[in-house]
Amino acid sequence: MLWSCQGKTSSGTDGDEQVSVPDTVLAYKYKESGKKKSANGNQHGAIDDYTKAICFNPNYDTAYHNRGVVKAAIGDYNGAISDYNKAIEIIRKYVFRRTWI
C-alpha cells in the first residue's frame, strides 16, 4: 500500500516558503531509508519512503529523482517520467533563483 501525504501539515509547501528543520531531517531519513529498501529489492517500500520524504519536503529533487528510478525499474514509466520532470522543475527553479539573485 502506498503512503499518501493526507493529514501531513507541512511548514512550507511551495518554493517561496522554507521547510522546517524537523521536516528536512525527516525527509532526509525517509530518502535514505528508500535507498536502502531499493538496494535490498523492496521497490514498493522504497517508493513509499520516497513519497514520505516528498511529503515532508515537497521541493526535495533527489527524492523525486530516486523515486523515478525505482518506478522505472518496476515498469511504471509514466510515473518515472513525471517524477523526473518534477525533479528537473525544482532544480531549474533553484538554479535560476540563485543565478539571478
Coordinates of all heavy atoms in Angstrom, one line a residue:
M1 N 0.8 -1.2 0.0 CA 0.0 0.0 0.0 C 0.9 1.2 0.0 O 1.8 1.3 0.7 CB -0.9 0.0 1.2 CG -1.6 1.3 1.4 SD -2.6 1.4 2.9 CE -4.1 0.6 2.3
L2 N 0.5 2.2 -0.9 CA 1.3 3.4 -0.9 C 0.9 4.4 0.1 O -0.3 4.5 0.4 CB 1.2 4.0 -2.3 CG 1.8 3.3 -3.5 CD1 1.5 4.0 -4.8 CD2 3.3 3.1 -3.3
W3 N 1.8 5.1 0.6 CA 1.6 6.1 1.7 C 1.2 7.4 1.0 O 1.8 7.8 -0.1 CB 2.9 6.3 2.5 CG 2.7 7.0 3.8 CD1 2.3 6.4 4.9 CD2 3.1 8.3 4.0 NE1 2.4 7.4 5.9 CE2 2.8 8.5 5.4 CE3 3.5 9.4 3.3 CZ2 3.0 9.8 6.0 CZ3 3.7 10.6 3.9 CH2 3.5 10.8 5.3
S4 N 0.3 8.2 1.5 CA 0.0 9.5 0.9 C 0.3 10.6 1.9 O 0.6 10.3 3.1 CB -1.5 9.5 0.5 OG -2.3 9.7 1.7
C5 N 0.2 11.8 1.4 CA 0.5 13.0 2.3 C -0.7 13.4 3.1 O -0.6 14.4 3.8 CB 1.0 14.1 1.4 SG 2.6 13.8 0.6
Q6 N -1.8 12.7 3.0 CA -3.0 13.2 3.7 C -2.7 13.3 5.1 O -2.2 12.4 5.8 CB -4.2 12.2 3.4 CG -4.6 12.3 2.0 CD -5.8 11.3 1.7 OE1 -5.9 10.3 2.4 NE2 -6.6 11.7 0.7
G7 N -3.2 14.4 5.7 CA -3.0 14.6 7.1 C -1.7 15.2 7.5 O -1.5 15.6 8.6
K8 N -0.8 15.3 6.6 CA 0.5 15.9 6.8 C 0.4 17.4 6.7 O 0.0 17.9 5.7 CB 1.6 15.3 5.8 CG 2.9 16.1 5.8 CD 3.7 16.0 7.1 CE 4.9 16.8 7.0 NZ 4.8 18.2 7.5
T9 N 0.8 18.1 7.8 CA 0.8 19.5 7.8 C 2.2 19.9 7.7 O 3.0 19.6 8.5 CB 0.2 20.1 9.1 OG1 -1.1 19.6 9.2 CG2 0.2 21.6 9.1
S10 N 2.5 20.6 6.6 CA 3.9 21.0 6.3 C 4.1 22.4 6.7 O 3.2 23.2 6.7 CB 4.3 20.8 4.9 OG 5.6 21.2 4.6
S11 N 5.3 22.7 7.1 CA 5.7 24.1 7.4 C 5.9 25.0 6.2 O 5.8 26.2 6.3 CB 7.0 24.1 8.2 OG 6.9 23.4 9.4
G12 N 6.1 24.4 5.1 CA 6.2 25.1 3.8 C 6.0 24.1 2.7 O 6.5 23.1 2.7
T13 N 5.1 24.6 1.7 CA 4.8 23.6 0.7 C 5.2 24.2 -0.7 O 5.0 23.5 -1.7 CB 3.3 23.3 0.7 OG1 2.6 24.5 0.6 CG2 3.0 22.5 1.9
D14 N 5.6 25.4 -0.8 CA 6.0 25.9 -2.1 C 7.4 26.5 -2.0 O 7.9 26.7 -1.0 CB 4.9 26.8 -2.8 CG 4.9 28.2 -2.3 OD1 6.0 28.7 -1.8 OD2 3.9 28.8 -2.4
G15 N 7.9 26.7 -3.2 CA 9.3 27.1 -3.3 C 9.6 28.4 -2.6 O 10.8 28.7 -2.3
D16 N 8.6 29.3 -2.3 CA 8.8 30.5 -1.6 C 8.8 30.4 -0.1 O 9.1 31.4 0.6 CB 7.8 31.6 -2.1 CG 7.9 31.9 -3.6 OD1 9.1 31.7 -4.1 OD2 6.9 32.2 -4.2
E17 N 8.5 29.3 0.4 CA 8.5 29.1 1.9 C 9.5 28.1 2.2 O 9.9 27.2 1.5 CB 7.1 28.5 2.3 CG 5.9 29.5 2.0 CD 4.6 28.9 2.5 OE1 4.6 28.2 3.5 OE2 3.6 29.1 1.8
Q18 N 10.0 28.3 3.4 CA 11.1 27.4 3.9 C 10.4 26.1 4.6 O 9.4 26.3 5.2 CB 11.9 28.1 5.0 CG 12.8 29.2 4.3 CD 13.8 28.7 3.4 OE1 14.4 27.7 3.6 NE2 13.9 29.4 2.2
V19 N 11.0 25.0 4.4 CA 10.6 23.8 5.1 C 11.3 23.8 6.5 O 12.5 24.1 6.5 CB 10.9 22.5 4.3 CG1 10.6 21.3 5.0 CG2 10.3 22.6 2.9
S20 N 10.6 23.4 7.5 CA 11.2 23.5 8.8 C 12.3 22.5 9.0 O 12.4 21.5 8.2 CB 10.1 23.2 9.9 OG 9.8 21.8 9.9
V21 N 13.2 22.7 9.9 CA 14.4 21.8 10.1 C 13.9 20.4 10.5 O 14.4 19.4 9.9 CB 15.3 22.4 11.2 CG1 16.4 21.4 11.6 CG2 15.9 23.7 10.7
P22 N 12.9 20.2 11.4 CA 12.5 18.8 11.6 C 11.9 18.1 10.4 O 12.2 16.9 10.1 CB 11.4 19.0 12.7 CG 11.7 20.3 13.4 CD 12.3 21.1 12.3
D23 N 11.2 18.9 9.5 CA 10.7 18.3 8.3 C 11.8 17.9 7.3 O 11.8 16.9 6.7 CB 9.7 19.2 7.6 CG 8.3 19.3 8.2 OD1 8.1 18.5 9.2 OD2 7.5 20.1 7.7
T24 N 12.9 18.8 7.3 CA 14.0 18.5 6.4 C 14.7 17.2 6.9 O 15.1 16.4 6.1 CB 15.0 19.7 6.4 OG1 14.3 20.8 5.9 CG2 16.2 19.4 5.5
V25 N 14.9 17.1 8.2 CA 15.6 15.9 8.8 C 14.7 14.7 8.5 O 15.3 13.6 8.1 CB 15.8 16.1 10.3 CG1 16.3 14.8 10.9 CG2 16.8 17.2 10.5
L26 N 13.4 14.7 8.7 CA 12.6 13.6 8.4 C 12.6 13.2 6.9 O 12.7 12.0 6.6 CB 11.2 13.8 8.9 CG 10.9 13.8 10.4 CD1 9.6 14.3 10.7 CD2 11.1 12.3 10.9
A27 N 12.6 14.2 6.1 CA 12.7 14.0 4.6 C 13.9 13.2 4.3 O 13.9 12.2 3.5 CB 12.6 15.3 3.9
Y28 N 15.1 13.7 4.8 CA 16.3 13.0 4.6 C 16.3 11.6 5.1 O 16.8 10.7 4.4 CB 17.5 13.8 5.2 CG 18.8 13.2 5.0 CD1 19.5 13.3 3.9 CD2 19.4 12.4 6.0 CE1 20.8 12.7 3.7 CE2 20.6 11.8 5.9 CZ 21.3 11.9 4.7 OH 22.5 11.3 4.5
K29 N 15.8 11.4 6.3 CA 15.8 10.0 6.8 C 14.9 9.1 5.9 O 15.3 7.9 5.7 CB 15.3 10.0 8.2 CG 16.3 10.6 9.2 CD 15.7 10.5 10.7 CE 16.8 11.1 11.6 NZ 16.3 11.0 13.0
Y30 N 13.8 9.6 5.5 CA 13.0 8.7 4.6 C 13.6 8.5 3.2 O 13.6 7.4 2.7 CB 11.6 9.3 4.4 CG 10.6 9.0 5.5 CD1 10.1 10.0 6.3 CD2 10.3 7.7 5.8 CE1 9.3 9.7 7.4 CE2 9.4 7.4 6.9 CZ 8.9 8.4 7.6 OH 8.1 8.1 8.7
K31 N 14.4 9.5 2.7 CA 15.1 9.3 1.5 C 16.2 8.2 1.6 O 16.3 7.3 0.8 CB 15.7 10.6 1.0 CG 16.3 10.6 -0.4 CD 17.8 10.4 -0.4 CE 18.6 11.4 0.4 NZ 20.0 11.2 0.4
E32 N 16.9 8.3 2.7 CA 17.9 7.3 3.0 C 17.3 5.9 3.2 O 17.9 4.9 2.7 CB 18.8 7.7 4.2 CG 19.7 8.9 4.0 CD 20.7 8.6 2.9 OE1 21.4 7.6 3.0 OE2 20.8 9.4 1.9
S33 N 16.2 5.8 3.9 CA 15.5 4.5 4.1 C 15.1 4.0 2.7 O 15.2 2.8 2.4 CB 14.3 4.7 5.0 OG 13.6 3.5 5.1
G34 N 14.6 4.9 1.8 CA 14.2 4.4 0.5 C 15.3 3.9 -0.3 O 15.2 2.9 -1.0
K35 N 16.5 4.5 -0.2 CA 17.7 4.0 -0.9 C 18.0 2.6 -0.4 O 18.3 1.7 -1.2 CB 18.9 4.9 -0.6 CG 18.9 6.1 -1.4 CD 20.0 7.1 -1.1 CE 21.4 6.5 -0.9 NZ 22.4 7.6 -0.6
K36 N 18.0 2.4 0.9 CA 18.3 1.0 1.5 C 17.3 0.0 1.0 O 17.6 -1.1 0.6 CB 18.3 1.1 3.0 CG 19.5 1.8 3.6 CD 19.5 1.9 5.1 CE 20.6 2.8 5.6 NZ 20.5 3.1 7.0
K37 N 16.0 0.3 1.1 CA 15.0 -0.6 0.6 C 15.1 -1.0 -0.8 O 15.0 -2.1 -1.2 CB 13.6 0.0 0.9 CG 13.2 -0.1 2.4 CD 11.9 0.5 2.7 CE 11.6 0.5 4.2 NZ 10.3 1.1 4.5
S38 N 15.4 0.0 -1.6 CA 15.6 -0.2 -3.1 C 16.8 -1.2 -3.3 O 16.7 -2.1 -4.1 CB 15.8 1.1 -3.8 OG 16.0 0.9 -5.2
A39 N 17.9 -0.9 -2.6 CA 19.1 -1.7 -2.7 C 18.8 -3.2 -2.3 O 19.4 -4.1 -2.8 CB 20.2 -1.1 -1.9
N40 N 17.9 -3.3 -1.4 CA 17.5 -4.7 -0.9 C 16.4 -5.3 -1.6 O 15.9 -6.4 -1.2 CB 17.2 -4.6 0.6 CG 18.4 -4.3 1.5 OD1 19.5 -4.8 1.1 ND2 18.3 -3.6 2.5
G41 N 16.0 -4.7 -2.7 CA 14.9 -5.3 -3.6 C 13.5 -5.0 -3.2 O 12.6 -5.4 -3.8
N42 N 13.3 -4.1 -2.2 CA 12.0 -3.8 -1.7 C 11.6 -2.5 -2.4 O 11.6 -1.4 -1.9 CB 11.9 -3.6 -0.2 CG 10.5 -3.2 0.3 OD1 9.6 -3.1 -0.4 ND2 10.4 -3.1 1.6
Q43 N 11.2 -2.6 -3.7 CA 10.9 -1.4 -4.5 C 9.7 -0.7 -4.1 O 9.7 0.6 -4.0 CB 10.8 -1.8 -6.0 CG 12.0 -2.6 -6.6 CD 13.3 -1.9 -6.4 OE1 13.5 -0.9 -5.8 NE2 14.3 -2.5 -7.0
H44 N 8.6 -1.4 -3.7 CA 7.4 -0.7 -3.3 C 7.6 0.0 -1.9 O 7.1 1.1 -1.7 CB 6.2 -1.6 -3.2 CG 5.8 -2.1 -4.6 ND1 5.2 -1.3 -5.5 CD2 6.0 -3.3 -5.2 CE1 4.9 -1.9 -6.6 NE2 5.5 -3.2 -6.5
G45 N 8.4 -0.6 -1.1 CA 8.7 0.1 0.2 C 9.6 1.3 0.0 O 9.4 2.3 0.6
A46 N 10.5 1.2 -1.0 CA 11.3 2.4 -1.4 C 10.4 3.5 -1.9 O 10.6 4.7 -1.5 CB 12.4 2.0 -2.4
I47 N 9.5 3.2 -2.8 CA 8.6 4.2 -3.3 C 7.8 4.9 -2.2 O 7.7 6.1 -2.1 CB 7.6 3.6 -4.4 CG1 8.4 3.3 -5.6 CG2 6.5 4.6 -4.7 CD1 7.7 2.5 -6.7
D48 N 7.3 4.1 -1.2 CA 6.6 4.6 -0.1 C 7.5 5.6 0.7 O 7.1 6.7 1.1 CB 6.1 3.5 0.9 CG 5.0 2.7 0.3 OD1 4.3 3.2 -0.7 OD2 4.6 1.7 0.9
D49 N 8.7 5.2 0.9 CA 9.6 6.1 1.7 C 10.0 7.4 1.0 O 10.0 8.4 1.5 CB 10.9 5.3 2.1 CG 10.7 4.4 3.3 OD1 9.6 4.4 3.9 OD2 11.6 3.7 3.6
Y50 N 10.2 7.3 -0.4 CA 10.5 8.5 -1.1 C 9.3 9.4 -1.1 O 9.4 10.6 -1.1 CB 10.9 8.1 -2.6 CG 12.2 7.5 -2.7 CD1 12.4 6.4 -3.4 CD2 13.3 8.0 -2.0 CE1 13.7 5.8 -3.6 CE2 14.6 7.4 -2.1 CZ 14.8 6.3 -2.9 OH 16.0 5.7 -3.0
T51 N 8.1 8.8 -1.2 CA 6.8 9.6 -1.1 C 6.7 10.3 0.2 O 6.4 11.5 0.3 CB 5.6 8.7 -1.4 OG1 5.7 8.1 -2.7 CG2 4.3 9.5 -1.3
K52 N 7.1 9.6 1.3 CA 7.1 10.3 2.6 C 8.1 11.4 2.7 O 7.8 12.5 3.2 CB 7.4 9.3 3.7 CG 6.3 8.3 3.9 CD 6.8 7.2 4.9 CE 5.7 6.1 5.0 NZ 6.2 5.0 5.9
A53 N 9.3 11.2 2.1 CA 10.3 12.3 2.1 C 9.7 13.5 1.3 O 9.9 14.6 1.8 CB 11.5 11.8 1.4
I54 N 9.0 13.3 0.2 CA 8.5 14.4 -0.6 C 7.4 15.1 0.2 O 7.2 16.3 0.1 CB 8.0 13.8 -1.9 CG1 9.2 13.4 -2.8 CG2 7.1 14.9 -2.6 CD1 8.8 12.5 -4.0
C55 N 6.6 14.3 1.0 CA 5.6 14.9 1.8 C 6.2 15.9 2.9 O 5.6 17.0 3.1 CB 4.7 13.9 2.5 SG 3.6 13.0 1.5
F56 N 7.3 15.5 3.4 CA 7.9 16.4 4.4 C 8.7 17.5 3.8 O 8.8 18.6 4.4 CB 8.9 15.6 5.3 CG 8.1 14.8 6.4 CD1 8.0 13.4 6.2 CD2 7.6 15.4 7.5 CE1 7.3 12.7 7.2 CE2 6.9 14.7 8.4 CZ 6.7 13.3 8.3
N57 N 9.2 17.3 2.5 CA 9.8 18.4 1.8 C 9.4 18.3 0.3 O 10.1 17.6 -0.4 CB 11.3 18.3 2.0 CG 12.1 19.4 1.2 OD1 11.5 20.2 0.6 ND2 13.4 19.4 1.4
P58 N 8.4 19.0 -0.1 CA 7.9 19.0 -1.4 C 8.9 19.5 -2.5 O 8.6 19.3 -3.7 CB 6.6 19.9 -1.4 CG 6.3 20.0 0.0 CD 7.5 19.8 0.8
N59 N 10.0 20.1 -2.1 CA 11.0 20.5 -3.0 C 12.2 19.7 -3.0 O 13.3 20.1 -3.4 CB 11.3 22.0 -2.7 CG 10.2 22.9 -2.9 OD1 9.5 22.9 -4.0 ND2 9.8 23.7 -1.9
Y60 N 12.1 18.4 -2.6 CA 13.2 17.5 -2.5 C 13.5 16.8 -3.8 O 13.0 15.7 -4.1 CB 12.9 16.5 -1.4 CG 14.1 15.9 -0.7 CD1 14.0 15.1 0.4 CD2 15.4 16.0 -1.2 CE1 15.1 14.5 1.0 CE2 16.5 15.4 -0.6 CZ 16.3 14.7 0.5 OH 17.4 14.1 1.1
D61 N 14.3 17.5 -4.7 CA 14.5 17.0 -6.0 C 15.1 15.6 -6.0 O 14.8 14.7 -6.9 CB 15.4 18.0 -6.8 CG 16.7 18.2 -6.2 OD1 16.8 18.5 -4.9 OD2 17.8 18.1 -6.9
T62 N 16.0 15.3 -5.1 CA 16.7 14.0 -5.0 C 15.6 12.9 -4.8 O 15.7 11.8 -5.3 CB 17.8 13.9 -4.0 OG1 18.7 15.0 -4.3 CG2 18.5 12.6 -4.0
A63 N 14.7 13.1 -3.9 CA 13.6 12.1 -3.6 C 12.8 11.9 -4.8 O 12.4 10.7 -5.1 CB 12.8 12.6 -2.4
Y64 N 12.4 12.9 -5.6 CA 11.7 12.7 -6.8 C 12.5 11.9 -7.8 O 12.0 11.0 -8.4 CB 11.3 14.1 -7.5 CG 10.1 14.7 -6.9 CD1 10.2 15.8 -6.0 CD2 8.8 14.2 -7.2 CE1 9.1 16.4 -5.5 CE2 7.7 14.8 -6.6 CZ 7.8 15.9 -5.8 OH 6.7 16.5 -5.2
H65 N 13.8 12.3 -8.0 CA 14.6 11.5 -8.9 C 14.7 10.1 -8.5 O 14.6 9.2 -9.3 CB 16.0 12.2 -8.9 CG 17.0 11.3 -9.7 ND1 17.8 10.4 -9.1 CD2 17.2 11.3 -11.0 CE1 18.5 9.8 -10.1 NE2 18.2 10.3 -11.2
N66 N 15.1 9.8 -7.2 CA 15.2 8.4 -6.8 C 13.9 7.6 -6.9 O 14.0 6.5 -7.3 CB 15.7 8.4 -5.3 CG 17.1 8.9 -5.2 OD1 17.8 9.3 -6.1 ND2 17.6 8.9 -3.9
R67 N 12.8 8.3 -6.6 CA 11.5 7.6 -6.8 C 11.3 7.3 -8.3 O 10.8 6.2 -8.6 CB 10.4 8.4 -6.2 CG 9.1 7.7 -6.1 CD 8.0 8.4 -5.4 NE 7.5 9.6 -6.2 CZ 6.5 10.4 -5.9 NH1 5.9 10.2 -4.7 NH2 6.2 11.4 -6.6
G68 N 11.7 8.2 -9.1 CA 11.6 7.9 -10.6 C 12.4 6.8 -11.0 O 12.0 6.0 -11.8
V69 N 13.6 6.6 -10.5 CA 14.5 5.5 -10.8 C 13.8 4.2 -10.4 O 13.8 3.2 -11.2 CB 15.8 5.6 -10.1 CG1 16.6 4.4 -10.3 CG2 16.6 6.8 -10.7
V70 N 13.2 4.1 -9.3 CA 12.6 2.9 -8.8 C 11.3 2.6 -9.6 O 11.1 1.5 -10.0 CB 12.2 3.0 -7.3 CG1 11.4 1.8 -6.8 CG2 13.5 3.1 -6.5
K71 N 10.5 3.7 -9.9 CA 9.3 3.5 -10.7 C 9.7 2.9 -12.1 O 9.1 2.0 -12.6 CB 8.6 4.8 -10.9 CG 7.8 5.1 -9.6 CD 7.0 6.4 -9.8 CE 6.2 6.8 -8.6 NZ 5.4 8.1 -8.8
A72 N 10.8 3.4 -12.7 CA 11.2 2.9 -14.0 C 11.7 1.5 -13.9 O 11.4 0.6 -14.8 CB 12.4 3.8 -14.5
A73 N 12.3 1.1 -12.8 CA 12.8 -0.3 -12.6 C 11.6 -1.3 -12.5 O 11.8 -2.4 -12.9 CB 13.6 -0.3 -11.3
I74 N 10.5 -0.8 -12.0 CA 9.3 -1.7 -11.9 C 8.4 -1.6 -13.1 O 7.3 -2.2 -13.1 CB 8.6 -1.6 -10.6 CG1 7.9 -0.2 -10.4 CG2 9.5 -1.9 -9.4 CD1 7.0 0.0 -9.2
G75 N 8.7 -0.8 -14.1 CA 7.9 -0.6 -15.3 C 6.9 0.5 -15.3 O 6.1 0.6 -16.2
D76 N 6.9 1.3 -14.3 CA 6.0 2.5 -14.2 C 6.7 3.6 -14.9 O 7.1 4.6 -14.2 CB 5.6 2.8 -12.8 CG 4.6 4.0 -12.7 OD1 4.2 4.5 -13.7 OD2 4.4 4.4 -11.5
Y77 N 6.7 3.6 -16.2 CA 7.5 4.6 -17.0 C 6.8 6.0 -16.9 O 7.5 7.0 -16.8 CB 7.7 4.1 -18.4 CG 8.4 2.8 -18.5 CD1 7.8 1.7 -18.9 CD2 9.7 2.7 -18.0 CE1 8.5 0.4 -19.0 CE2 10.4 1.5 -18.0 CZ 9.8 0.4 -18.5 OH 10.4 -0.8 -18.5
N78 N 5.5 6.0 -17.0 CA 4.8 7.3 -16.9 C 5.1 8.0 -15.5 O 5.3 9.2 -15.4 CB 3.3 7.2 -17.1 CG 3.0 6.9 -18.6 OD1 3.7 7.3 -19.5 ND2 1.9 6.2 -18.8
G79 N 5.0 7.2 -14.5 CA 5.3 7.7 -13.1 C 6.7 8.1 -13.0 O 7.0 9.2 -12.4
A80 N 7.6 7.4 -13.6 CA 9.0 7.8 -13.6 C 9.3 9.1 -14.3 O 9.9 10.0 -13.8 CB 9.9 6.7 -14.2
I81 N 8.7 9.2 -15.5 CA 8.8 10.5 -16.2 C 8.3 11.7 -15.5 O 8.9 12.7 -15.4 CB 8.2 10.4 -17.6 CG1 9.0 9.4 -18.5 CG2 8.0 11.7 -18.3 CD1 8.3 9.0 -19.8
S82 N 7.1 11.5 -14.8 CA 6.5 12.5 -14.0 C 7.5 12.9 -12.9 O 7.7 14.1 -12.6 CB 5.2 12.0 -13.4 OG 4.6 13.0 -12.6
D83 N 8.1 11.9 -12.2 CA 9.0 12.3 -11.1 C 10.3 12.9 -11.6 O 10.7 13.9 -11.0 CB 9.3 11.0 -10.3 CG 8.3 10.6 -9.3 OD1 7.3 11.4 -9.1 OD2 8.3 9.5 -8.8
Y84 N 10.8 12.5 -12.8 CA 12.0 13.1 -13.3 C 11.7 14.6 -13.7 O 12.5 15.5 -13.4 CB 12.5 12.4 -14.6 CG 13.0 11.0 -14.3 CD1 12.8 10.0 -15.3 CD2 13.7 10.6 -13.2 CE1 13.3 8.7 -15.1 CE2 14.2 9.4 -13.0 CZ 14.0 8.4 -14.0 OH 14.5 7.1 -13.8
N85 N 10.5 14.8 -14.3 CA 10.1 16.1 -14.7 C 10.0 17.0 -13.5 O 10.4 18.2 -13.5 CB 8.8 16.1 -15.5 CG 9.0 15.7 -16.9 OD1 10.1 15.8 -17.5 ND2 8.0 15.2 -17.5
K86 N 9.4 16.5 -12.4 CA 9.3 17.3 -11.2 C 10.7 17.7 -10.6 O 10.9 18.8 -10.2 CB 8.4 16.6 -10.1 CG 8.2 17.4 -8.9 CD 7.4 18.6 -9.2 CE 7.1 19.4 -7.9 NZ 6.3 20.6 -8.1
A87 N 11.6 16.7 -10.6 CA 12.9 17.0 -10.1 C 13.6 18.0 -10.9 O 14.2 19.0 -10.4 CB 13.8 15.7 -10.1
I88 N 13.5 18.0 -12.3 CA 14.1 19.0 -13.1 C 13.4 20.3 -12.9 O 14.1 21.4 -12.8 CB 13.9 18.6 -14.6 CG1 14.8 17.3 -14.9 CG2 14.2 19.7 -15.6 CD1 14.5 16.7 -16.2
E89 N 12.1 20.4 -12.7 CA 11.4 21.6 -12.4 C 12.0 22.3 -11.1 O 12.2 23.5 -11.1 CB 9.9 21.4 -12.3 CG 9.1 22.5 -11.9 CD 7.7 22.1 -11.6 OE1 7.1 21.3 -12.3 OE2 7.1 22.6 -10.6
I90 N 12.2 21.5 -10.1 CA 12.7 22.0 -8.8 C 14.1 22.5 -9.0 O 14.5 23.6 -8.6 CB 12.6 20.9 -7.7 CG1 11.1 20.6 -7.4 CG2 13.4 21.4 -6.5 CD1 11.0 19.3 -6.6
I91 N 14.9 21.7 -9.7 CA 16.3 22.1 -9.9 C 16.4 23.4 -10.7 O 17.1 24.3 -10.3 CB 17.1 21.0 -10.6 CG1 17.3 19.8 -9.7 CG2 18.5 21.5 -11.1 CD1 17.7 18.5 -10.4
R92 N 15.6 23.5 -11.8 CA 15.7 24.8 -12.6 C 15.2 26.0 -11.7 O 15.8 27.0 -11.8 CB 14.7 24.6 -13.8 CG 15.3 23.8 -14.9 CD 14.4 23.8 -16.1 NE 15.0 23.1 -17.1 CZ 14.3 22.6 -18.2 NH1 13.0 22.8 -18.2 NH2 14.9 21.9 -19.1
K93 N 14.2 25.8 -10.9 CA 13.7 26.9 -10.1 C 14.8 27.4 -9.2 O 15.0 28.6 -9.1 CB 12.5 26.4 -9.3 CG 11.8 27.4 -8.5 CD 10.6 26.8 -7.8 CE 9.9 27.8 -7.0 NZ 8.7 27.3 -6.4
Y94 N 15.5 26.5 -8.5 CA 16.5 27.0 -7.6 C 17.8 27.4 -8.3 O 18.5 28.3 -7.8 CB 16.8 25.9 -6.5 CG 15.6 25.8 -5.6 CD1 14.7 24.8 -5.7 CD2 15.4 26.8 -4.6 CE1 13.6 24.8 -4.8 CE2 14.3 26.8 -3.8 CZ 13.4 25.8 -3.9 OH 12.3 25.7 -3.1
V95 N 18.1 26.8 -9.4 CA 19.4 27.2 -10.1 C 19.2 28.6 -10.6 O 20.0 29.5 -10.5 CB 19.7 26.2 -11.3 CG1 20.7 26.8 -12.2 CG2 20.2 24.9 -10.7
F96 N 18.0 28.9 -11.3 CA 17.8 30.2 -11.8 C 17.6 31.2 -10.7 O 18.0 32.4 -10.8 CB 16.6 30.2 -12.7 CG 16.8 29.6 -14.0 CD1 16.0 28.5 -14.5 CD2 17.9 29.9 -14.8 CE1 16.3 27.9 -15.7 CE2 18.2 29.3 -16.0 CZ 17.4 28.3 -16.5
R97 N 17.0 30.8 -9.6 CA 16.8 31.8 -8.5 C 18.2 32.2 -7.9 O 18.4 33.3 -7.7 CB 16.0 31.1 -7.3 CG 15.9 32.0 -6.1 CD 15.2 31.3 -5.0 NE 13.8 31.4 -5.1 CZ 12.9 30.9 -4.3 NH1 13.3 30.2 -3.3 NH2 11.7 31.2 -4.5
R98 N 19.1 31.2 -7.8 CA 20.4 31.5 -7.3 C 21.2 32.4 -8.3 O 22.0 33.2 -7.9 CB 21.2 30.2 -7.0 CG 20.7 29.5 -5.7 CD 21.5 28.3 -5.4 NE 20.7 27.4 -4.6 CZ 20.5 26.1 -4.9 NH1 21.1 25.6 -5.9 NH2 19.8 25.4 -4.1
T99 N 21.0 32.1 -9.6 CA 21.8 32.8 -10.6 C 21.4 34.3 -10.7 O 22.2 35.1 -10.8 CB 21.5 32.2 -12.0 OG1 21.9 30.8 -11.9 CG2 22.3 32.8 -13.0
W100 N 20.1 34.6 -10.5 CA 19.6 35.9 -10.7 C 19.5 36.7 -9.4 O 19.3 37.9 -9.5 CB 18.2 35.9 -11.4 CG 18.3 35.2 -12.7 CD1 17.9 34.0 -13.1 CD2 19.0 35.8 -13.9 NE1 18.2 33.8 -14.4 CE2 18.9 34.8 -14.9 CE3 19.6 37.0 -14.1 CZ2 19.4 35.1 -16.2 CZ3 20.1 37.2 -15.4 CH2 20.0 36.2 -16.4
I101 N 19.7 36.2 -8.3 CA 19.6 36.9 -7.0 C 20.9 37.6 -6.7 O 22.0 37.2 -6.9 CB 19.2 36.0 -5.8 CG1 17.8 35.6 -6.0 CG2 19.4 36.8 -4.5 CD1 17.2 34.8 -4.9

